[in-house]
Amino acid sequence: MVQILDPIPAGSSGQILCCYVNATSKIQIARITNIPNWYFERVVFPGQRLVFEAFPEALLEIHTGMMASAILSDKIPCLRLRISDGNDDSAEKADLLKQELLKLKPETAATAKSRPARALAAAALTSVD
């Protein structure tokens, strides 16, 4: 899904469709701050794909952290995150992206059983009718 909030500045052209995948086990904040008159910030959960429109010169900052703090862990040119729209020569890049996304398959029951059990950090909420 393309971003809805904080659209690219009106009257702009040349935007590209991008995809970023949080391949870590931590929550990340993705930000673009180097485009005048536009501020982009999203929370990206572990394993989540973020699809958005940006300019080729935009830099996606990835902030990774814990509950009360975050550190800048990466700056990625949006041109490197570009998804092919079928009208250009980046079909090979789109194929590579698909291969990477296939590696992020959900956990199967077999692999879940092989991990040691962890205590729950919070009580479960239930509803009784």
Side-chain angles (χ1 to χ4, degrees), residues 30 33 87 104 117:
T33 58
N87 296 328
L104 299 173

Side-chain angles (χ1 to χ4, degrees), residues 44-107:
V44 189
F45 292 95
Q48 182 180 6
R49 278 178 266 169
L50 174 65
V51 177
F52 59 98
E53 286 182 331
F55 294 106
E57 65 272 16
L59 285 173
L60 185 69
E61 297 177 357
I62 302 299
H63 299 261
T64 305
M66 303 304 276
M67 199 64 139
S69 66
I71 60 164
L72 177 61
S73 55
D74 206 355
K75 280 190 176 184
I76 307 166
C78 287
L79 197 55
R80 284 185 41 210
L81 301 173
R82 183 177 188 174
I83 298 175
S84 171
D85 61 4
N87 296 328
D88 56 28
D89 296 332
S90 30
E92 182 178 322
K93 187 173 182 178
D95 289 339
L96 291 173
L97 176 64
K98 287 177 189 174
Q99 291 172 6
E100 289 299 316
L101 295 175
L102 289 174
K103 292 178 185 176
L104 299 173
K105 292 180 183 174
E107 183 176 61

